[in-house]
């Protein structure tokens, strides 16, 4: 048998690469997070409070603040979309073309 084939046989299967065993369970324990993850509702309320306390906030300011709180870009965007759908915030462009979020209540 060639050296390459022996090396290929040493490795695990595709599921091992993904961290799962062929039986469907995980092959290694999941890493425990040191801080509890924030709930979706909590993130939405925190973002609304940030925007409403200031009256308005640029997208850059919101993302900088959100990252300092440990929120992901996806968390922030989901919250902004939800707040917009509920009518609690409005999106607009300022005179320089930057996206601004304003509190509508």
């Amino acid at each position: 048998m060639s050296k390459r084939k022996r090396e290929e046989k040493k490795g695990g299967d595709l599921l091992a690469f993904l961290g799962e065993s062929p039986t469907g369970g995980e092959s290694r324990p999941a890493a425990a997070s040191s801080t509890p993850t924030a709930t979706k509702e909590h993130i939405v309320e925190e973002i609304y409070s940030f925007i409403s306390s200031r009256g308005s906030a640029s997208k850059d300011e919101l993302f900088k603040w959100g990252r300092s709180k440990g929120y992901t870009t996806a968390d922030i965007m989901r919250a902004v979309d939800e707040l917009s759908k509920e009518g609690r915030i409005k999106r607009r462009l300022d005179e320089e073309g930057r996206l601004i979020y304003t509190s509508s209540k």
Side-chain angles (χ1 to χ4, degrees):
M1 187 182 296
S2 72
K3 182 179 177 183
R4 183 176 180 186
K5 288 191 181 216
R6 278 192 303 251
E7 288 176 4
E8 287 177 2
K9 290 194 181 232
K10 287 181 186 176
D13 60 0
L14 180 60
L15 295 176
F17 172 75
L18 297 173
E20 297 179 1
S21 68
T23 59
E26 290 192 13
S27 62
R28 57 190 149 99
S33 176
S34 60
T35 57
T37 56
T39 63
K40 177 183 162 187
E41 294 82 17
H42 177 74
I43 295 170
V44 170
E45 291 307 316
E46 287 254 336
I47 289 175
Y48 178 71
S49 295
F50 175 74
I51 294 170
S52 64
S53 69
R54 299 171 53 111
S56 67
S58 71
K59 179 183 172 188
D60 294 335
E61 293 169 333
L62 179 62
F63 277 77
K64 184 177 178 182
W65 172 84
R67 280 189 223 109
S68 72
K69 293 281 196 175
Y71 301 147
T72 64
T73 301
D75 291 337
I76 297 167
M77 290 310 299
R78 276 190 217 108
V80 166
D81 287 342
E82 185 171 327
L83 290 167
S84 293
K85 287 177 187 174
E86 292 174 358
R88 295 171 67 185
I89 64 170
K90 294 183 181 180
R91 301 176 199 188
R92 66 177 176 84
L93 295 176
D94 67 1
E95 56 278 348
E96 296 175 7
R98 292 181 298 202
L99 186 57
I100 305 292
Y101 302 107
T102 57
S103 173
S104 58
K105 292 183 180 181

